[in-house]
């Protein structure tokens, strides 16, 4: 039976029909490949993880800017415990909240601040009354975030949800002093090269196809998307340097618009030409890490990525199957 794929260069335009030999579960020509959640990256790259989860009933947070200002005014000696708190929405729309970060606070510092003590008592009560045993256990540590994954280095933040209208997933570097919210993914020790490989069209295409959606928006996943992403097999130093140079050009282009959020910069209708061109150069540099000529469209990119993924994982599932035999 003839198999046919219909592709749209423009979703509002007419489709282009292709006759293919096989169609995989992702509606792409190729083998029947299944992408399962993976604990570690299939390639040798830094591990990506979720941000920090407080599980505190809101007691670590300052919901209004004025709340943080009032706290610092009342307890100036405890100003060092007030940190910027950023998740996906804050990253994309260029704002931040504040939270209390008491990880290195001494008992004396905690006891000398009535407001901190009040919040700690609330957290202890909230956790001790939880139906979850793991949460009740953390009632013994009420001054700590229950899930602390804050890195000791600056890090790259990747939003969990991004608009389907954007050509690229808006990611950005943050200081280690800024606390990452659970609503985001973080990549500690990320270099400009890693930024370039994630902020490019190649990576966005992979995420669009293999990860889930929130309504129609892109929903990022570290275990399904990032950990299975087929990075270039053996890029030369020259190719990696080209990616780094192009990625830095993207970051520099953003800096030309300090008052614009990532939401503004990556809106297809308002994306500055200098940023568009920088991303196009980055896409070309990344493509050339995979093969000698750039990819002409999204279809060619994802077909190539599935072939490379199949190559990388060819022996993994055989080993897992053999290990289950009795």
């Amino acid at each position: 039976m003839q198999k046919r794929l219909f592709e749209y260069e423009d979703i509002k335009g007419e489709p282009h029909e292709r006759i293919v030999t096989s169609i995989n579960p992702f509606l792409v020509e190729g083998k029947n490949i299944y992408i399962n959640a993976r604990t570690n990256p299939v390639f040798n790259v830094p591990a990506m993880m979720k941000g920090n989860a407080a599980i505190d009933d809101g007691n670590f947070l300052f919901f209004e800017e004025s709340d943080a200002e009032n706290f610092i005014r009342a307890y100036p000696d405890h100003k060092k415990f007030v940190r910027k708190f950023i998740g996906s929405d804050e990253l994309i729309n260029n704002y931040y909240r504040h939270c209390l970060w008491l990880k290195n606070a001494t008992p004396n510092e905690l006891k000398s601040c009535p407001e901190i003590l009040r919040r700690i008592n609330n957290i202890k009560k909230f956790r001790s009354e939880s139906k979850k045993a793991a949460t009740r256990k953390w009632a013994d540590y009420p001054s700590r975030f229950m899930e602390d994954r804050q890195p000791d280095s600056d890090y790259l933040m990747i939003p969990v949800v991004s608009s389907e209208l954007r050509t690229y997933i808006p990611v950005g570097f943050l200081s280690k002093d800024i606390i990452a919210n659970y609503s985001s993914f973080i990549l500690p020790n990320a270099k400009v090269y890693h930024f370039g490989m994630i902020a490019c069209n190649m990576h966005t295409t992979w995420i669009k196809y293999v990860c889930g959606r929130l309504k129609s928006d892109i929903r990022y996943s570290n275990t399904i998307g990032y950990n299975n992403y087929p990075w270039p097999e053996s890029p030369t130093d020259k190719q990696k340097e080209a990616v780094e140079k192009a990625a830095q050009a993207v970051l520099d282009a953003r800096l030309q618009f300090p008052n614009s959020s990532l939401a503004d910069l990556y809106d297809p209708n308002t994306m500055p030409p200098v940023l568009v061109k920088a991303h196009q150069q980055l896409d070309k540099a990344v493509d050339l890490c995979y093969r000698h000529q750039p990819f002409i469209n999204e279809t060619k990119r994802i077909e190539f990525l599935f072939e490379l993924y199949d190559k990388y994982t060819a022996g993994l599932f055989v080993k897992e199957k053999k290990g289950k035999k009795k």
Side-chain angles (χ1 to χ4, degrees):
M1 182 179 177
Q2 236 180 20
K3 297 179 177 65
R4 300 185 297 170
L5 276 175
F6 293 88
E7 299 168 354
Y8 291 81
E9 293 296 331
D10 180 356
I11 194 62
K12 295 181 180 179
E14 294 297 319
H16 169 68
E17 181 183 352
R18 280 203 303 152
I19 306 298
V20 298
T21 56
S22 60
I23 301 175
N24 72 17
F26 299 93
L27 300 182
V28 173
E29 182 179 14
K31 294 181 181 179
N32 280 330
I33 291 176
Y34 298 92
I35 308 295
N36 296 312
R38 188 182 297 276
T39 305
N40 299 304
V42 71
F43 209 77
N44 185 25
V45 291
M48 182 183 292
M49 60 201 75
K50 272 290 191 80
N52 307 281
I55 320 296
D56 66 331
D57 199 29
N59 283 283
F60 279 126
L61 304 183
F62 296 99
F63 290 98
E64 300 292 340
E65 181 73 15
S66 58
D67 295 335
E69 292 173 353
N70 291 337
F71 176 87
I72 293 171
R73 192 178 298 112
Y75 308 101
D77 292 341
H78 294 74
K79 179 180 178 179
K80 62 183 177 180
F81 300 122
V82 178
R83 299 282 194 91
K84 290 181 179 179
F85 189 56
I86 292 181
S88 296
D89 192 66
E90 292 87 350
L91 174 73
I92 293 174
N93 293 293
N94 195 28
Y95 73 98
Y96 54 84
R97 293 181 290 166
H98 286 92
C99 72
L100 283 174
W101 187 252
L102 306 173
K103 185 174 182 177
N104 297 315
T106 66
N108 287 343
E109 289 172 323
L110 297 177
K111 291 184 68 175
S112 62
C113 181
E115 177 61 15
I116 288 180
L117 278 181
R118 182 187 71 80
R119 290 171 178 250
I120 288 176
N121 286 330
N122 289 344
I123 294 168
K124 187 177 184 70
K125 182 175 185 296
F126 171 73
R127 291 178 179 174
S128 64
E129 294 174 351
S130 173
K131 295 180 180 179
K132 297 181 179 180
T135 303
R136 292 197 300 273
K137 180 180 177 181
W138 272 87
D140 294 335
Y141 311 96
S143 65
R144 295 286 302 275
F145 273 47
M146 188 168 152
E147 296 180 20
D148 173 6
R149 287 180 284 271
Q150 186 66 18
D152 295 325
S153 67
D154 293 347
Y155 59 94
L156 189 66
M157 177 173 281
I158 300 92
V160 172
V161 178
S162 178
S163 170
E164 63 168 331
L165 300 177
R166 299 185 183 114
T167 305
Y168 306 96
I169 298 172
V171 301
F173 284 106
L174 293 178
S175 164
K176 63 182 179 181
D177 296 323
I178 298 175
I179 306 304
N181 189 1
Y182 188 76
S183 69
S184 64
F185 289 103
I186 59 174
L187 193 67
N189 299 306
K191 308 299 182 185
V192 174
Y193 174 73
H194 301 118
F195 166 83
M197 294 302 299
I198 291 174
C200 67
N201 204 335
M202 201 74 166
H203 188 73
T204 301
T205 297
W206 175 260
I207 297 301
K208 281 182 178 178
Y209 275 84
V210 306
C211 294
R213 296 289 181 115
L214 183 63
K215 297 182 180 178
S216 58
D217 289 336
I218 301 170
R219 188 175 181 88
Y220 201 97
S221 167
N222 61 335
T223 56
I224 295 176
Y226 178 80
N227 287 353
N228 285 300
Y229 182 53
W231 290 66
E233 189 170 6
S234 52
T236 65
D237 290 341
K238 185 177 180 180
Q239 289 170 332
K240 293 179 71 172
E241 288 173 7
V243 171
E244 290 170 357
K245 183 179 179 180
Q248 187 60 54
V250 169
L251 294 170
D252 293 341
R254 290 181 180 183
L255 292 176
Q256 295 182 37
F257 307 92
N259 297 321
S260 297
S261 66
L262 291 179
D264 297 330
L265 291 174
Y266 285 90
D267 184 319
N269 294 323
T270 58
M271 191 172 184
V274 63
L275 185 57
V276 173
K277 292 178 181 178
H279 265 288
Q280 288 173 345
Q281 288 301 113
L282 175 60
D283 289 339
K284 182 178 179 181
V286 171
D287 285 357
L288 294 177
C289 288
Y290 284 97
R291 66 181 196 181
H292 296 302
Q293 66 275 356
F295 296 89
I296 60 174
N297 56 36
E298 186 176 278
T299 299
K300 296 301 180 184
R301 291 178 189 278
I302 194 61
E303 288 176 353
F304 180 90
L305 287 173
F306 278 131
E307 289 177 5
L308 192 57
Y309 173 81
D310 184 54
K311 177 182 177 181
Y312 286 169
T313 60
L316 295 180
F317 303 113
V318 174
K319 292 176 183 178
E320 289 177 4
K321 187 175 181 181
K322 287 183 179 179
K324 293 180 180 179
K325 288 184 178 180
K326 295 182 180 180

